[in-house]
């Protein structure tokens, strides 16, 4: 029997991992045959907390896919963020909440994206549309994904649909959103255990546009100065990444999840893409009120690059 | 007030026109402000029959869109099949049933595609999901679109969802599917009134892949030899198109809607993309059981080009 696999993007975050597990559950029920959740990298502490809390297993790690492998993508579509070999896989289904870029298929597919805060919000709708009951474990995972992506519904990416989904999912999962949410987010902010190189990869999005390559990485913390203590070594690693991967720009965003602000270390020959909007002092841009890479930082870089 | 417009692909067929009108109705109701259906070309006789039967107005013709215009696409996504200026428009929503190719956006969007026979089948689901009542006129237009794209549910592109939608829509529109469907399809088969150049444009899909450009055009008839009487002049026009537009291949598919077969005139330096599968005699490929460009001809060309 041909095995169908589901996975999210590289440098997996809580949405990517939880949505993979949830999508595998939904598709297994829809298709009547086992669909396998997978991951393309190490899971972070925040995600571990969520999986542990709701008793979910860590998805299987995969490095690449064979030609013709039937795959389901969640939380991404750009091939540069996907698994090795994606170009020759058979993409059957995509559920996402990002723009579409650097993506194509040979055949018609099921593709459902909405401009909402989190992939799991779209998945939540798909359970409803298909009249499939949501188990408490799956509700907890979707809830965790939405809390993570919207920083407890505070990010400007948050929509009415996310808010509605969180309300219903919290009831099914039987948790208090604020208490659970802050505990989960805080679990992901212990950055001391990571090397500088690891910090850059925790949640990194690599983008290619007309041969210009750049990375926007993001970490969450409860106290930005704690991370900036390591600025010198972080910059060293960023410069290494830039030269090794031929990047024009690297933006390392440090987000304060309690106060909803960010500061970013910006390096690369195209640092002007950020400095046009935010003054750079010693390579650092202070970004009050900025928490969303997708809604606030990516459009800015896109516009200027 | 910013005007939002909906349109389908160039060389509009019945699905593209009907889905534009229906999507404008749905979005007007969802957004609480007027959304305007548009078209990118002349409507054909089959579509005229459907609009006339259900008392719908012909959408407004547009040639191009201004930068930043908010647009909704139905029944296509490839920029090469879309309106002039699409690259700089703001694509808000796409509802489609084709593969994704040569498409990208700067921001997240609502994108819903399903591998079903017709765009209107997806629209039908969206009315249901959003709890919006379907008026008989809109039901009739969706029904016409599905009948057209699936050739009365006989095309291999037909899915369970199309069949189910047709059943419910026929009840709401209060028509007998087979009688109405054959009348509508036959209304589109009077090809004598068209010049050869017009025949090539009636329902043409232009595809660009890695700098190889090709066109697959299709016409419906009740008697293929009637069309092949004009073979010499059709070939003259095809060769003109090939040299003017720098095409590597032109496939002109003539489909017998009663017996569900096709013959194709195949010209261009890459005629081998077809001849690998179907023997060419005097540039003509006989294709028994072939009625679907998307499911049967396009994948073949893609594979070989």
């Amino acid at each position: 029997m041909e095995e169908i696999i589901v996975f999210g993007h590289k440098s997996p975050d809580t949405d990517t991992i939880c949505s993979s597990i949830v999508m595998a559950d939904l598709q297994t029920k829809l298709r009547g045959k086992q669909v396998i959740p997978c991951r393309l990298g190490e899971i972070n502490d925040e995600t571990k907390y969520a999986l542990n809390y709701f008793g979910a297993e860590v998805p299987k790690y995969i490095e690449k896919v064979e030609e013709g492998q039937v795959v389901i993508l969640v939380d991404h579509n750009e091939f540069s963020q996907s698994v090795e070999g994606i170009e020759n896989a058979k993409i059957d289904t995509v559920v996402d909440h990002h723009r579409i870029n650097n993506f194509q298929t040979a055949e018609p597919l099921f593709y459902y994206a909405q401009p909402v805060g989190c992939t799991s919000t779209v998945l939540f709708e798909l359970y409803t549309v298909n009249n499939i009951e949501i188990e408490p474990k799956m509700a907890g995972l979707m809830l965790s994904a939405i809390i993570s992506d919207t920083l407890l519904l505070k990010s400007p990416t948050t929509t009415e649909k996310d808010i509605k989904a969180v309300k219903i999912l919290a009831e099914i999962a039987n948790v208090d959103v604020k208490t659970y949410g802050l505990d989960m987010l805080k679990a992901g902010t212990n950055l001391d255990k990571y090397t500088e190189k690891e910090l850059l990869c925790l949640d990194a999005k690599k983008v290619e546009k007309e041969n210009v390559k750049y990375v926007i990485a993001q970490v969450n913390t409860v106290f930005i100065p704690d991370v900036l203590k390591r600025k010198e070594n972080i910059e060293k690693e960023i410069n290494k990444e830039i030269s090794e991967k031929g990047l024009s720009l690297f933006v390392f965003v440090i987000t304060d999840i309690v106060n909803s602000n960010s500061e970013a270390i910006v390096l690369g020959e195209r640092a002007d893409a950020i400095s046009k909007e935010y003054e750079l002092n010693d390579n650092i841009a202070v970004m009050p009120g900025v928490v969303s890479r997708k809604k606030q930082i990516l459009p800015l870089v896109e516009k200027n690059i």
Side-chain angles (χ1 to χ4, degrees), chain A:
Chain A
M1 194 175 69
E2 192 182 52
E3 195 176 69
I4 304 174
I5 59 175
V6 189
F7 49 84
H9 54 76
K10 283 180 188 159
S11 306
D13 57 11
T14 301
D15 183 18
T16 258
I17 295 293
C18 291
S19 287
S20 298
I21 298 170
V22 170
M23 184 65 158
D25 173 74
L26 175 65
Q27 294 291 330
T28 296
K29 285 168 179 163
L30 283 174
R31 294 168 197 248
K33 66 177 188 177
Q34 200 67 35
V35 174
I36 314 290
C38 296
R39 64 184 164 91
L40 307 184
E42 286 305 305
I43 62 169
N44 64 37
D45 286 349
E46 181 195 285
T47 311
K48 264 180 208 157
Y49 183 92
L51 297 192
N52 189 47
Y53 193 98
F54 293 106
E57 275 178 42
V58 175
K60 185 171 98 174
Y61 174 74
I62 55 165
E63 209 176 329
K64 58 179 180 177
V65 293
E66 300 298 322
E67 190 175 337
Q69 169 71 50
V70 180
V71 300
I72 295 173
L73 311 189
V74 291
D75 197 30
H76 76 299
N77 65 79
E78 305 196 31
F79 285 2
S80 53
Q81 295 160 9
S82 197
V83 75
E84 196 188 320
I86 187 70
E87 294 82 359
N88 300 312
K90 180 169 162 32
I91 305 172
D92 178 273
T93 297
V94 180
V95 175
D96 193 16
H97 67 128
H98 297 90
R99 66 171 182 160
I100 299 176
N101 192 34
N102 185 13
F103 177 83
Q104 58 177 25
T105 60
E107 286 180 56
L109 75 165
F110 184 100
Y111 195 111
Y112 202 4
Q114 289 189 31
V116 292
C118 178
T119 306
S120 274
T121 303
V122 187
L123 292 179
F124 169 68
E125 187 184 303
L126 286 175
Y127 275 93
T128 313
V129 171
N130 290 289
N131 279 318
I132 291 175
E133 200 189 333
I134 302 173
E135 292 167 23
K137 186 202 279 190
M138 296 303 149
L141 296 176
M142 284 190 266
L143 180 68
S144 304
I146 302 173
I147 289 169
S148 172
D149 263 20
T150 65
L151 291 179
L152 253 171
L153 305 175
K154 279 190 207 149
S155 164
T157 56
T158 312
T159 66
E160 283 303 315
K161 285 193 178 182
D162 301 302
I163 296 167
K164 192 183 148 200
V166 160
K167 196 165 170 283
I168 297 169
L169 292 169
E171 274 169 29
I172 302 172
N174 195 26
V175 293
D176 177 74
V177 176
K178 205 163 173 191
T179 313
Y180 169 73
L182 264 182
D183 286 349
M184 185 198 80
L185 289 174
K186 279 183 183 161
T189 62
N190 175 18
L191 301 175
D192 296 341
K193 56 179 262 198
Y194 297 110
T195 66
E196 283 76 20
K197 193 181 162 78
E198 286 168 342
L199 281 185
L200 303 188
C201 299
L202 273 181
D203 181 12
K205 282 254 158 46
K206 189 178 167 191
V207 184
E208 281 192 52
K209 193 191 166 192
E210 288 154 17
N211 293 325
V212 178
K213 288 186 238 178
Y214 59 93
V215 170
I216 306 178
Q218 187 170 26
V219 293
N220 291 339
T221 180
V222 288
F223 192 56
I224 292 174
D226 267 355
V227 185
L228 287 178
K229 266 185 214 153
R230 303 164 70 181
K231 178 167 176 281
E232 200 178 328
N233 286 330
I234 292 173
E235 289 191 349
K236 230 179 257 173
E237 276 305 325
I238 291 178
N239 282 322
K240 218 190 270 179
E241 285 284 303
I242 286 174
S243 71
E244 278 173 10
K245 294 185 179 155
L247 305 175
S248 301
L249 173 69
F250 198 112
V251 186
F252 180 69
V253 185
I254 308 155
T255 298
D256 177 337
I257 56 163
V258 180
N259 300 300
S260 304
N261 291 315
S262 295
E263 297 193 22
I265 302 177
V266 182
L267 290 171
E269 63 189 26
R270 293 305 308 275
D272 61 290
I274 296 289
S275 68
K276 271 182 192 161
E277 190 92 4
Y278 296 100
E279 196 187 345
L280 291 186
N281 282 312
D282 206 15
N283 305 325
I284 288 182
V286 177
M287 301 170 153
V290 170
V291 294
S292 167
R293 169 169 52 201
K294 188 168 68 173
K295 203 92 173 181
Q296 297 171 304
I297 302 173
L298 195 60
L300 172 69
V301 174
E302 277 284 310
K303 195 180 73 181
N304 293 331
I305 226 157

